[in-house]
Amino acid sequence: LVELGGNINTVTEGLRRLFAIDPSAPGISLIHCATGLAALQRLCGYMALSRIDKDLLVHCRFADTRVLPNLLGALSEAQLARLSVDIARWCWIDYRGEVKCWQHHLSSSGNKQIDLAPHLELDTQQFSAMLDASEPDNVFSLLLDNTPGLVPHDALGDFRTRLSQILTT
């Protein structure tokens, strides 16, 4: 976690320096914190140590921008509500270089239940959804390692989208 100051010029310069590290594949996400840094660190601890189906403890790579959107899509309303206590908005750059943002609004049904578990608990269905969503990345890595000639040098986001479509079919 790197805190960027409140001054827009400082934030812009900080982002420019972070993106300059590897502009071809930025793996940076930006969090607009609704609370203080200490609360955000506690939330990261909640997300990092996850339990699958009340059994297996795993490290959840939630900060990986390939994992983050899939994780957010698999979480329950109570788990999303827990995140929204500390996170006003969470943005990242997707496979196509486009900025994507997540902002949670509590359910309009009036359900204001917030997950109070000490760490993220994913049931079998949530974990399966995460595995299914990560399959294009796994195939992409296998192709890159074993047959790099099949991987184009540009438009990698389009290539990944096509892999996802093929796997879905």
Side-chain angles (χ1 to χ4, degrees):
L1 293 175
V2 177
E3 186 175 16
L4 300 174
N7 177 312
I8 191 67
N9 293 330
T10 305
V11 170
T12 302
E13 181 55 32
L15 291 174
R16 193 173 290 124
R17 284 195 322 261
L18 287 172
F19 288 125
I21 293 170
D22 184 1
S24 66
I28 297 169
S29 65
L30 306 170
I31 298 172
H32 178 234
C33 189
T35 57
L37 188 57
L40 184 59
Q41 289 170 331
R42 283 190 297 276
L43 180 67
C44 288
Y46 160 80
M47 293 178 68
L49 183 61
S50 302
R51 187 179 306 274
I52 309 301
D53 203 26
K54 299 184 189 224
D55 181 31
L56 180 65
L57 271 175
V58 298
H59 171 73
C60 179
R61 292 182 6 229
F62 72 91
D64 185 326
T65 57
R66 295 169 299 178
V67 173
L68 179 61
N70 302 322
L71 176 64
L72 292 172
L75 295 180
S76 70
E77 183 67 26
Q79 291 165 331
L80 291 170
R82 167 105 182 239
L83 269 59
S84 69
V85 169
D86 297 312
I87 297 174
R89 192 171 187 185
W90 200 339
C91 299
W92 60 93
I93 297 175
D94 74 357
Y95 298 100
R96 295 179 161 212
E98 298 172 0
V99 175
K100 300 292 180 182
C101 292
W102 172 84
Q103 189 170 6
H104 180 69
H105 302 285
L106 289 176
S107 170
S108 58
S109 66
N111 181 5
K112 307 250 191 267
Q113 184 178 4
I114 295 175
D115 182 25
L116 299 176
H119 50 260
L120 186 60
E121 297 271 353
L122 299 174
D123 62 29
T124 305
Q125 193 172 20
Q126 289 172 305
F127 188 64
S128 291
M130 294 280 305
L131 288 178
D132 289 346
S134 70
E135 191 173 13
D137 295 317
N138 295 334
V139 171
F140 180 85
S141 293
L142 286 171
L143 288 173
L144 203 55
D145 290 343
N146 298 318
T147 52
L150 295 176
V151 179
H153 295 288
D154 55 0
L156 291 177
D158 293 336
F159 182 69
R160 194 241 180 236
T161 299
R162 183 71 181 126
L163 276 176
S164 182
Q165 291 168 343
I166 291 168
L167 292 168
T168 299
T169 301

